[in-house]
PDB file of all heavy atoms in Angstrom:
ATOM      1  N   GLN A  84     -96.018 -75.949 -16.163  1.00 93.00           N
ATOM      2  CA  GLN A  84     -96.390 -75.408 -17.474  1.00 93.00           C
ATOM      3  C   GLN A  84     -96.780 -76.556 -18.386  1.00 93.00           C
ATOM      4  O   GLN A  84     -96.098 -77.614 -18.334  1.00 93.00           O
ATOM      5  CB  GLN A  84     -95.242 -74.620 -17.991  1.00 93.00           C
ATOM      6  CG  GLN A  84     -95.578 -73.915 -19.326  1.00 93.00           C
ATOM      7  CD  GLN A  84     -94.486 -72.922 -19.711  1.00 93.00           C
ATOM      8  OE1 GLN A  84     -94.437 -72.546 -20.925  1.00 93.00           O
ATOM      9  NE2 GLN A  84     -93.583 -72.565 -18.953  1.00 93.00           N
ATOM     10  N   GLU A 118     -90.579 -62.782 -14.567  1.00 93.00           N
ATOM     11  CA  GLU A 118     -91.672 -63.007 -15.407  1.00 93.00           C
ATOM     12  C   GLU A 118     -92.505 -64.216 -14.952  1.00 93.00           C
ATOM     13  O   GLU A 118     -93.666 -64.280 -15.006  1.00 93.00           O
ATOM     14  CB  GLU A 118     -91.345 -63.044 -16.893  1.00 93.00           C
ATOM     15  CG  GLU A 118     -90.835 -61.764 -17.484  1.00 93.00           C
ATOM     16  CD  GLU A 118     -90.561 -61.898 -18.916  1.00 93.00           C
ATOM     17  OE1 GLU A 118     -90.574 -63.009 -19.513  1.00 93.00           O
ATOM     18  OE2 GLU A 118     -90.045 -60.881 -19.574  1.00 93.00           O
ATOM     19  N   GLU A 119     -91.776 -65.331 -14.661  1.00 93.00           N
ATOM     20  CA  GLU A 119     -92.498 -66.632 -14.422  1.00 93.00           C
ATOM     21  C   GLU A 119     -92.765 -66.839 -12.871  1.00 93.00           C
ATOM     22  O   GLU A 119     -93.733 -67.606 -12.702  1.00 93.00           O
ATOM     23  CB  GLU A 119     -91.626 -67.701 -14.953  1.00 93.00           C
ATOM     24  CG  GLU A 119     -91.436 -67.727 -16.453  1.00 93.00           C
ATOM     25  CD  GLU A 119     -90.851 -69.003 -17.073  1.00 93.00           C
ATOM     26  OE1 GLU A 119     -90.580 -69.866 -16.306  1.00 93.00           O
ATOM     27  OE2 GLU A 119     -90.803 -69.169 -18.240  1.00 93.00           O
ATOM     28  N   HIS A 161     -95.423 -59.428 -14.435  1.00 80.00           N
ATOM     29  CA  HIS A 161     -95.582 -59.653 -15.899  1.00 80.00           C
ATOM     30  C   HIS A 161     -96.990 -60.279 -16.105  1.00 80.00           C
ATOM     31  O   HIS A 161     -97.555 -61.042 -15.329  1.00 80.00           O
ATOM     32  CB  HIS A 161     -94.569 -60.700 -16.253  1.00 80.00           C
ATOM     33  CG  HIS A 161     -94.579 -61.062 -17.681  1.00 80.00           C
ATOM     34  ND1 HIS A 161     -94.254 -60.312 -18.692  1.00 80.00           N
ATOM     35  CD2 HIS A 161     -94.917 -62.263 -18.270  1.00 80.00           C
ATOM     36  CE1 HIS A 161     -94.350 -60.851 -19.822  1.00 80.00           C
ATOM     37  NE2 HIS A 161     -94.820 -62.104 -19.695  1.00 80.00           N
ATOM     38  N   THR A 162     -97.582 -59.875 -17.164  1.00 80.00           N
ATOM     39  CA  THR A 162     -98.913 -60.363 -17.729  1.00 80.00           C
ATOM     40  C   THR A 162     -98.600 -61.644 -18.496  1.00 80.00           C
ATOM     41  O   THR A 162     -97.986 -61.625 -19.560  1.00 80.00           O
ATOM     42  CB  THR A 162     -99.713 -59.348 -18.423  1.00 80.00           C
ATOM     43  OG1 THR A 162     -99.830 -58.191 -17.621  1.00 80.00           O
ATOM     44  CG2 THR A 162    -101.006 -59.953 -18.895  1.00 80.00           C
ATOM     45  N   ARG A 163     -99.010 -62.798 -18.093  1.00 78.00           N
ATOM     46  CA  ARG A 163     -98.745 -64.109 -18.750  1.00 78.00           C
ATOM     47  C   ARG A 163     -99.781 -64.442 -19.734  1.00 78.00           C
ATOM     48  O   ARG A 163    -101.048 -64.077 -19.507  1.00 78.00           O
ATOM     49  CB  ARG A 163     -98.527 -65.207 -17.622  1.00 78.00           C
ATOM     50  CG  ARG A 163     -97.478 -64.898 -16.656  1.00 78.00           C
ATOM     51  CD  ARG A 163     -97.206 -65.986 -15.716  1.00 78.00           C
ATOM     52  NE  ARG A 163     -96.243 -65.672 -14.661  1.00 78.00           N
ATOM     53  CZ  ARG A 163     -96.593 -65.371 -13.382  1.00 78.00           C
ATOM     54  NH1 ARG A 163     -97.802 -65.480 -13.047  1.00 78.00           N
ATOM     55  NH2 ARG A 163     -95.667 -65.041 -12.519  1.00 78.00           N
ATOM     56  N   ASP A 164     -99.384 -65.125 -20.714  1.00 78.00           N
ATOM     57  CA  ASP A 164    -100.404 -65.603 -21.692  1.00 78.00           C
ATOM     58  C   ASP A 164     -99.937 -67.004 -22.198  1.00 78.00           C
ATOM     59  O   ASP A 164     -98.950 -67.497 -21.765  1.00 78.00           O
ATOM     60  CB  ASP A 164    -100.594 -64.619 -22.863  1.00 78.00           C
ATOM     61  CG  ASP A 164     -99.305 -64.381 -23.615  1.00 78.00           C
ATOM     62  OD1 ASP A 164     -98.342 -65.068 -23.403  1.00 78.00           O
ATOM     63  OD2 ASP A 164     -99.228 -63.325 -24.408  1.00 78.00           O
ATOM     64  N   GLY A 165    -100.671 -67.569 -23.266  1.00 79.00           N
ATOM     65  CA  GLY A 165    -100.334 -68.912 -23.741  1.00 79.00           C
ATOM     66  C   GLY A 165    -100.285 -70.000 -22.645  1.00 79.00           C
ATOM     67  O   GLY A 165    -101.139 -70.015 -21.665  1.00 79.00           O
ATOM     68  N   GLU A 166     -99.227 -70.800 -22.646  1.00 73.00           N
ATOM     69  CA  GLU A 166     -99.083 -71.840 -21.746  1.00 73.00           C
ATOM     70  C   GLU A 166     -98.762 -71.360 -20.337  1.00 73.00           C
ATOM     71  O   GLU A 166     -98.901 -72.045 -19.298  1.00 73.00           O
ATOM     72  CB  GLU A 166     -98.001 -72.869 -22.104  1.00 73.00           C
ATOM     73  CG  GLU A 166     -98.353 -73.652 -23.306  1.00 73.00           C
ATOM     74  CD  GLU A 166     -97.909 -73.076 -24.662  1.00 73.00           C
ATOM     75  OE1 GLU A 166     -97.666 -71.775 -24.637  1.00 73.00           O
ATOM     76  OE2 GLU A 166     -97.789 -73.778 -25.653  1.00 73.00           O
ATOM     77  N   GLU A 167     -98.325 -70.078 -20.222  1.00 73.00           N
ATOM     78  CA  GLU A 167     -98.029 -69.549 -18.881  1.00 73.00           C
ATOM     79  C   GLU A 167     -99.249 -68.888 -18.276  1.00 73.00           C
ATOM     80  O   GLU A 167     -99.192 -68.626 -17.050  1.00 73.00           O
ATOM     81  CB  GLU A 167     -96.921 -68.386 -19.158  1.00 73.00           C
ATOM     82  CG  GLU A 167     -95.586 -69.054 -19.563  1.00 73.00           C
ATOM     83  CD  GLU A 167     -94.507 -67.938 -19.663  1.00 73.00           C
ATOM     84  OE1 GLU A 167     -94.899 -66.741 -19.520  1.00 73.00           O
ATOM     85  OE2 GLU A 167     -93.375 -68.269 -19.913  1.00 73.00           O
ATOM     86  N   LEU A 168    -100.370 -68.776 -18.841  1.00 75.00           N
ATOM     87  CA  LEU A 168    -101.490 -68.247 -18.291  1.00 75.00           C
ATOM     88  C   LEU A 168    -102.070 -69.145 -17.084  1.00 75.00           C
ATOM     89  O   LEU A 168    -102.272 -70.232 -17.235  1.00 75.00           O
ATOM     90  CB  LEU A 168    -102.598 -68.059 -19.313  1.00 75.00           C
ATOM     91  CG  LEU A 168    -103.956 -67.391 -18.769  1.00 75.00           C
ATOM     92  CD1 LEU A 168    -103.724 -65.898 -18.500  1.00 75.00           C
ATOM     93  CD2 LEU A 168    -105.033 -67.443 -19.877  1.00 75.00           C
ATOM     94  N   GLY A 169    -102.129 -68.515 -15.910  1.00 78.00           N
ATOM     95  CA  GLY A 169    -102.589 -69.257 -14.766  1.00 78.00           C
ATOM     96  C   GLY A 169    -101.621 -70.142 -14.226  1.00 78.00           C
ATOM     97  O   GLY A 169    -101.896 -71.076 -13.482  1.00 78.00           O
ATOM     98  N   MET A 170    -100.383 -70.024 -14.574  1.00 85.00           N
ATOM     99  CA  MET A 170     -99.259 -71.024 -14.192  1.00 85.00           C
ATOM    100  C   MET A 170     -99.077 -70.888 -12.691  1.00 85.00           C
ATOM    101  O   MET A 170     -98.814 -69.846 -12.083  1.00 85.00           O
ATOM    102  CB  MET A 170     -97.879 -70.625 -14.901  1.00 85.00           C
ATOM    103  CG  MET A 170     -96.797 -71.577 -14.689  1.00 85.00           C
ATOM    104  SD  MET A 170     -95.491 -71.158 -15.854  1.00 85.00           S
ATOM    105  CE  MET A 170     -94.995 -69.531 -15.566  1.00 85.00           C
TER     106      MET A 170
END
Side-chain angles (χ1 to χ4, degrees):
Q84 185 172 168
E118 292 180 359
E119 294 194 354
H161 179 69
T162 300
R163 304 186 184 103
D164 56 16
E166 290 90 343
E167 295 181 353
L168 183 65
M170 185 168 62

